[in-house]
Amino acid sequence: MSNATATAWDASRVRLWLESRLSAAKLEQAAADRRGYEAQGDYDKAAAEEWVSRALLATDCTTDQAALAGRVKALLAQDEYRITGIYDDRRFDRGVRAQLRKIAKMTKANEGFANLLRYQD
C-alpha cells in the first residue's frame, strides 16, 4: 500500500520539471549561440527541448499520467515540427522526437520528474 502512494502521479512535480527543462534549454541555446558555428548542433538540440517543453506546458496535459502520455503520442505522430531560428531542420526534428520518447518513457514509468538538475542525460 505504501508503494502505491510513493508512485502516485504528481502533476505539480511534472510541471515543475517541464518548467526547469524549459529554462535549461534557453540557457543551453544562449551558451551554444556564444560558441558559434561548431555549436549549431547543440543549439538545435536545446531548441528541440525548449519546443517540447513549451508544447507540453501549453496544454493542461500534465494533470494525469494518461493525458500526458496521450499528448506525447500525438506529438510523436506529427510529420514535422515548425520553428524558426534553427540551423538544421532534420537535426531539430530528431531532437524533438528523442525528447518526446524520453518523456514518454518517464511518463510510463512515472519516474525521473524529480531530477531538476540543469544537465541531464
Side-chain angles (χ1 to χ4, degrees):
M1 179 115 181
S2 63
N3 191 19
T5 307
T7 61
W9 185 255
D10 186 353
S12 61
R13 177 177 286 174
V14 174
R15 285 194 70 76
L16 180 64
W17 185 84
L18 286 169
E19 290 165 356
S20 74
R21 297 315 311 148
L22 181 65
S23 298
K26 288 179 182 180
L27 292 171
E28 288 302 311
Q29 285 177 19
D33 206 24
R34 285 191 301 273
R35 290 195 326 261
Y37 180 79
E38 81 274 352
Q40 287 179 351
D42 294 339
Y43 184 91
D44 289 346
K45 183 179 176 183
E49 186 170 11
E50 180 185 2
W51 188 92
V52 168
S53 297
R54 277 191 198 285
L56 294 175
L57 285 169
T59 61
D60 197 23
C61 65
T62 59
T63 55
D64 98 5
Q65 195 170 3
L68 182 58
R71 178 68 176 141
V72 168
K73 186 176 181 178
L75 288 172
L76 275 168
Q78 285 185 212
D79 288 334
E80 58 184 30
Y81 308 97
R82 299 270 181 202
I83 190 171
T84 59
I86 57 171
Y87 295 100
D88 185 333
D89 290 333
R90 288 181 298 163
R91 185 171 45 212
F92 174 77
D93 283 354
R94 282 192 309 265
V96 168
R97 291 185 189 286
Q99 188 66 20
L100 287 170
R101 285 190 301 271
K102 172 186 172 183
I103 293 173
K105 287 179 186 176
M106 290 172 61
T107 301
K108 184 177 181 180
N110 191 18
E111 60 186 31
F113 294 111
N115 183 3
L116 299 178
L117 299 175
R118 177 175 171 189
Y119 298 106
Q120 296 186 8
D121 292 335

